[in-house]
Amino acid sequence: MKRKGFYRLLAAGGLAGMAAGLMLLRACPEGAARTAFYLMVGLGSGVFGHGAGMLLSFRAVKNAPDAARQLEIERKDERNVMIGNAAKGKAFDLMSYLYGALVFVFGFMEIGLAPLLLLVAAYLFVHGYAVYWRVRLEKEM
Amino acid sequence: MKNRLEEIRKSRGIRQEELASALGVSRQTIGSLENGRYNPSILLAFKLARYFGMQIEEIFIYEEDEG
């Protein structure tokens, strides 16, 4: 029930963000702020979609406790969890190479120092986060 | 790691779905265990052993050169 409340809030917030973005776009036909309004519409619809999707899935399994239990088993199944984590690990490795190459390409394209440094900072942050989790898990396990 | 899971399950007339449901895992996990494609966690190995009323070593066969 607690989770249901959260997703209701998420769907309502997303819808509100989307509506506000659309209204602001109509009210402000020009200017750089329109990018932010478009972002509001995009993010709002994404958040609304996620929230509404979860609510619909709750409704779908409400009258089918067997299906709900099976879904829960599939979600918690140790092999499924292991497969999901291994897939995430593979994707992370690939992303590291792709992102690194992208930083180089942007560097050669001379996109400017500020965006380039931002990209490098984001790249290093993600790898720093991976090291943090490795150290933490080393201690915990 | 080899195991006798399929043999034990069939000898007791239990379907993969029933075993999976009793242990709280997916049917695919049982299938993968039986095919030897997946090695279970120690927790799942204990659950399986307890379910059949056996020792873990009676179900799973450890071979020295497995690493």
Side-chain angles (χ1 to χ4, degrees), chain B:
Chain B
M1 189 163 58
K2 286 178 182 168
N3 67 73
R4 296 174 50 229
L5 191 59
E6 188 175 7
E7 173 199 332
I8 297 165
R9 177 180 63 77
K10 283 183 175 170
S11 72
R12 305 207 180 185
I14 301 164
R15 289 186 300 122
Q16 281 190 342
E17 287 84 354
E18 290 167 340
L19 182 59
S21 179
L23 299 173
V25 296
S26 67
R27 192 199 53 77
Q28 286 81 1
T29 295
I30 300 297
S32 294
L33 283 170
E34 289 184 354
N35 291 331
R37 285 198 307 261
Y38 174 64
N39 287 329
S41 68
I42 192 74
L43 205 70
L44 183 54
F46 267 111
K47 280 186 185 176
L48 275 162
R50 192 157 290 180
Y51 180 84
F52 289 117
M54 299 169 93
Q55 299 289 316
I56 288 179
E57 296 92 324
E58 292 177 272
I59 303 173
F60 296 96
I61 302 134
Y62 171 68
E63 284 165 343
E64 206 60 55
D65 58 345
E66 281 181 36

Side-chain angles (χ1 to χ4, degrees), chain A residues 36-81:
Chain A
F37 302 151
Y38 276 118
L39 267 175
M40 276 174 74
V41 175
L43 279 175
S45 48
V47 170
F48 169 72
H50 179 61
M54 290 304 288
L55 287 174
L56 281 174
S57 71
F58 284 140
R59 180 176 286 186
V61 295
K62 193 179 166 189
N63 297 320
D66 285 346
R69 185 172 174 268
Q70 194 54 41
L71 276 176
E72 192 68 6
I73 285 175
E74 297 283 341
R75 197 174 63 81
K76 288 183 177 169
D77 179 65
E78 66 172 43
R79 180 171 157 273
N80 282 347
V81 171

